[in-house]
């Protein structure tokens, strides 16, 4: 059974304190791994797509990496505006609907 | 571009009432999706559509129906609402077949009493 697990569930950081969020997956035939940011009361906002092990993507203070079993979202010198829930999703196999399987997210709080 | 829009933003229903949620996208995307998001459960796929006039079941389809009469619109219907359908509903769209990202709407918060 395809599964996506994110850890930790919640993370509190001081402003400037770098850390990483984890997304581990067990799927058959990974086609893509996606990271989203979700602010309270809003819809998920697309951040990155990773397609193969070894790939990395960067955007401002965020860097996403991918191995054969997990992905990390590294946050360097975070600011309070980085506070949000970060969601990971995988697309597996060649299903007709491009279906995503989502993790339950990591809630990040950055304290000034 | 408005992206993906959803109406209404909030709704309260009584058990047994019906309603329709509307999703619209202006990105000319082929694929559209309806999800529900519940605490501790993550986003779960209800129904999806791979093109105008087509629909298919997702992970949690029971109690919901959908229609895609126009490429830009995807409707989610609840024929007889139940308290278990209290949730936040998100619509999403993606370009076409392939590993493409999905773009989400702002959500509809539905409470069934």
């Amino acid at each position: 059974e395809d599964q996506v697990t994110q850890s930790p569930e919640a993370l509190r950081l001081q402003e400037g304190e770098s850390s990483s969020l984890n997304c581990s997956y067990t799927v058959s035939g990974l086609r893509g791994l996606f990271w989203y940011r979700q602010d309270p009361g809003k819809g998920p906002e697309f951040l990155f797509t990773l397609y193969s092990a070894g790939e990395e993507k960067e955007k401002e203070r965020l860097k996403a990496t991918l191995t054969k079993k997990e992905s990390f979202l590294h946050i360097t010198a975070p600011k309070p505006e980085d506070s949000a829930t970060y969601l990971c999703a995988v697309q597996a196999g060649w299903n007709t609907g491009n279906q995503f399987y989502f993790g339950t997210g990591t809630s990040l709080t950055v304290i000034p | 571009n408005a992206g993906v829009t959803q109406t209404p933003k909030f709704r309260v229903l009584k058990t047994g009432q019906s309603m329709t949620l509307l999703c619209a996208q202006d990105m000319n995307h082929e694929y559209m999706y309806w999800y529900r998001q519940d605490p501790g459960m993550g986003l779960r796929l209800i129904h999806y559509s791979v093109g105008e006039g087509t629909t298919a079941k997702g992970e949690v389809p029971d109690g919901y129906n959908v229609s895609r009469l126009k490429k830009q619109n995807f409707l989610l219907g609840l024929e007889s609402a139940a308290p278990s359908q209290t949730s936040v509903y998100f619509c999403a769209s993606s370009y076409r077949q392939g590993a493409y990202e999905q773009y989400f709407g702002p959500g509809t918060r539905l409470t069934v009493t």
Side-chain angles (χ1 to χ4, degrees):
Chain A
E1 181 180 313
D2 296 338
Q3 283 194 329
V4 180
T5 303
Q6 291 188 246
S7 62
E9 287 187 12
L11 182 63
R12 288 171 64 90
L13 299 174
Q14 292 289 334
E15 184 173 0
E17 179 187 3
S18 301
S19 189
S20 297
L21 313 182
N22 177 263
C23 171
S24 63
Y25 60 92
T26 54
V27 297
S28 301
L30 179 73
R31 296 177 63 198
L33 186 141
F34 303 81
W35 282 99
Y36 287 83
R37 169 191 171 125
Q38 186 174 24
D39 292 300
K42 297 192 175 181
E45 175 189 346
F46 171 70
L47 293 173
F48 303 110
T49 307
L50 301 167
Y51 295 103
S52 57
E55 189 175 1
E56 299 182 352
K57 294 268 180 80
E58 283 189 71
K59 180 180 180 180
E60 296 181 356
R61 295 176 292 282
L62 300 178
K63 183 168 111 174
T65 62
L66 181 65
T67 72
K68 288 187 177 180
K69 293 186 177 181
E70 57 192 350
S71 177
F72 292 94
L73 185 65
H74 307 277
I75 304 176
T76 302
K79 297 182 178 181
E81 53 261 42
D82 295 322
S83 297
T85 295
Y86 291 85
L87 302 174
C88 165
V90 299
Q91 186 185 55
W94 290 93
N95 64 80
T96 57
N98 294 353
Q99 293 179 48
F100 280 18
Y101 297 93
F102 279 88
T104 53
T106 293
S107 175
L108 173 66
T109 302
V110 182
I111 304 161
Chain B
N1 277 358
V4 180
T5 58
Q6 294 181 233
T7 53
K9 288 184 168 47
F10 302 93
R11 185 73 187 266
V12 178
L13 287 180
K14 294 185 177 179
T15 298
Q17 288 185 321
S18 64
M19 76 164 295
T20 299
L21 307 183
L22 172 63
C23 174
Q25 54 95 4
D26 62 1
M27 296 175 283
N28 201 34
H29 283 172
E30 291 291 334
Y31 286 35
M32 296 186 75
Y33 310 83
W34 276 107
Y35 290 89
R36 60 179 289 172
Q37 187 175 42
D38 302 291
M41 299 290 289
L43 284 155
R44 292 182 292 166
L45 184 65
I46 305 171
H47 286 282
Y48 64 96
S49 167
V50 301
E52 182 178 320
T54 74
T55 62
K57 294 180 180 180
E59 182 185 355
V60 288
D62 294 343
Y64 305 95
N65 56 75
V66 288
S67 65
R68 183 121 180 253
L69 299 179
K70 293 183 179 180
K71 184 177 182 178
Q72 63 268 33
N73 295 338
F74 196 27
L75 278 62
L76 178 71
L78 286 73
E79 289 187 348
S80 179
S84 60
Q85 294 178 304
T86 293
S87 187
V88 181
Y89 292 86
F90 289 100
C91 176
S93 70
S94 67
Y95 180 39
R96 57 178 172 82
Q97 177 71 20
Y100 294 97
E101 62 272 18
Q102 295 181 11
Y103 292 92
F104 284 79
T108 295
R109 182 172 294 276
L110 174 66
T111 302
V112 183
T113 61

